[in-house]
Amino acid sequence: MASIKRDDNKKQWEDTEFPLVCETCLGDNPYIRMTKEPHGKACKICETPFTVFSWQAGTRGRLKRVEICRNCARTKNVCQVCIYDLQYGLPVQVRDRILAEEGGGGAAGAGATVPQSMARMEPRYERNLPKLCSFFARGECDRGTNCPFRHEMPRDRNDPLSKQNTKDRFYGTSDPVADKMLGRQKARQEKRREEAKARGVDGDERAVSTLYVRYSDRQGRGEEQVSLPPGPAMTEGDLRDKFYSYGEIASVRIPGREGQAAFIEYTTGDATELAIASTNRTTLNGRQIYVNWARVPKRGNEGAAAAAGAASGGDSSGVVRPALPPGYKAGADGDGGPKLSLPAGFAPVRPSAAVVAAAAAARNAAPGAGGGVSVPRPGGVGVPRPGGGPIRRGGAPADPGGGPIRRGGAPAVRVPAPKPYYAAADPGRLGSKAPQQD
């Protein structure tokens, strides 16, 4: 029989059977042995005693245990150990900042989503490595390979990542890990704006309307990364089937013969941004792909305005239009429309003299004169009619019911088709159904 909690404060203590943790904190070992301690310590957020779970995070990971109670973790949808978001794998401060910019408020799943380019869906087992050995940094560690900590020198003694607070990470305030991630994202955006200004597009990277897609060449994280062989060659059909639903595609370019990367240009920058956010880190031909903004326009011109003008037939308004079909030139026709230009050395097929003479006689023939134009045929051989059979001269018209066409003067006679032969109905064969004679 379960023990009855007589104290009112003890009734609020948490008792669970399994922790709420992310895949990274569980480690790469599929077999985990956990230790359970009911009401082992108080939560660092609400100070309520809760059940403490401890385990070794992977084969080379350190010993981990939960830091906050399950109720607080469910409130923020975070892991009880690392306090990262369970859906996107991001710190709370980064997640709330992105969702606020997307218009979804400050909670995960409240009407907005984090772009896949920012989300960390794959586990990062390098976060489970043991911490640095302080005795080794001072040159006093004598445990050698038996030391459970890493024998590496710290990179920076004033590193802000070494001063992390659980409450700051939970509430998303003054988190050094989040500040570092947001700083790198801001630096990438500033770099793209500078590159766009250098190309003369007023610092708007969406004006390029071109994205870059490539196969992932590595698998795994940290020291467990392995190089992958080249994937199946990308084709224009595969790329259009993958990216057509996000907007009108102006061009698809696959550089090189290997087909491991491609450039796709849309007619609008919004379509390009939607395609990048929706397809980055997805699969194509069974391999993971990375999708991002292209650094330079891939339409054969230097600037985005020149690329737009070439695609729109001399229009320099900045609007990118779909590329013309192969063989057509913009503005080649008299009315300004596209016109098919024949390649060099290609001669058009001209009709023979007999066909030209027959066409001229047909145009000069008086209407209602009766009879058609006789076109000379080589050897006098009659050309079969579409329905089959030779063409006869003169006589009555052909019988619609079929049968041979007779010469003039003879009425059309319909000859019935022969009946099919059935061996079972033949009285001369043994075993037929004909009446037997006594």
Side-chain angles (χ1 to χ4, degrees), residues 116-382:
Q116 293 187 5
S117 58
M118 288 292 299
R120 296 183 175 183
M121 302 299 183
E122 298 180 358
R124 296 174 176 265
Y125 297 126
E126 63 271 12
R127 298 202 326 237
N128 300 332
L129 294 176
K131 297 182 179 180
L132 298 179
C133 181
S134 59
F135 290 92
F136 177 80
R138 296 195 300 266
E140 300 176 359
C141 183
D142 56 355
R143 288 179 288 188
T145 58
N146 296 327
C147 183
F149 300 96
R150 284 187 296 164
H151 283 187
E152 297 179 6
M153 295 297 295
R155 299 179 180 178
D156 185 8
R157 295 183 180 273
N158 299 323
D159 188 4
L161 298 180
S162 61
K163 302 176 182 180
Q164 301 185 34
N165 192 343
T166 303
K167 287 189 176 181
D168 292 342
R169 297 181 64 180
F170 181 81
Y171 292 110
T173 57
S174 303
D175 186 4
V177 178
D179 294 339
K180 183 178 180 180
M181 295 179 63
L182 294 175
R184 286 185 298 183
Q185 182 189 12
K186 185 177 180 180
R188 286 194 298 265
Q189 292 178 355
E190 291 293 337
K191 184 178 180 180
R192 284 199 295 263
R193 291 194 185 97
E194 292 178 359
E195 292 176 354
K197 288 182 179 179
R199 296 193 299 268
V201 291
D202 299 333
D204 186 9
E205 71 259 9
R206 296 185 302 177
V208 180
S209 303
T210 307
L211 60 86
Y212 174 72
V213 54
R214 68 172 178 87
Y215 282 129
S216 174
D217 55 354
R218 292 187 176 273
Q219 185 178 9
R221 293 285 182 181
E223 299 179 357
E224 299 180 356
Q225 284 188 356
V226 294
S227 300
L228 298 176
M234 297 181 182
T235 62
E236 184 174 353
D238 296 338
L239 295 172
R240 288 186 179 272
D241 292 342
K242 179 75 174 180
F243 293 91
Y244 82 97
S245 59
Y246 306 106
E248 187 176 4
I249 298 177
S251 67
V252 177
R253 180 174 176 267
I254 305 176
R257 297 182 179 179
E258 293 81 6
Q260 302 298 303
F263 295 92
I264 302 176
E265 183 176 3
Y266 286 89
T267 56
T268 60
D270 295 336
T272 310
E273 184 178 10
L274 177 61
I276 293 174
S278 303
T279 59
N280 186 32
R281 294 185 180 179
T282 57
T283 57
L284 176 65
N285 296 331
R287 287 284 296 271
Q288 188 182 29
I289 57 175
Y290 290 104
V291 185
N292 206 341
W293 291 96
R295 293 181 178 272
V296 293
K298 297 300 177 182
R299 291 295 299 278
N301 298 322
E302 295 294 334
S312 58
D315 184 13
S316 59
S317 59
V319 180
V320 181
R321 306 184 187 277
L324 297 175
Y328 281 82
K329 290 185 178 180
D333 200 354
D335 55 357
K339 183 179 181 181
L340 178 63
S341 59
L342 298 177
F346 181 81
V349 179
R350 300 183 180 277
S352 60
V355 175
V356 173
R363 289 194 299 267
N364 298 331
V373 179
S374 60
V375 180
R377 293 178 173 83
V381 180

Side-chain angles (χ1 to χ4, degrees), residues 384-388:
R385 61 187 179 88

Side-chain angles (χ1 to χ4, degrees), residues 18 20 22 34 67 138 141 145 149 151 188 200 307 413 436:
F18 196 81
L20 187 65
C22 61
M34 290 187 177
E67 302 293 338
R138 296 195 300 266
C141 183
T145 58
F149 300 96
H151 283 187
R188 286 194 298 265
V413 179
Q436 300 292 336

Side-chain angles (χ1 to χ4, degrees), residues 421-427 429 431-434:
Y421 172 76
Y422 297 100
D426 188 0
R429 289 182 58 87
S432 63
K433 296 183 179 180

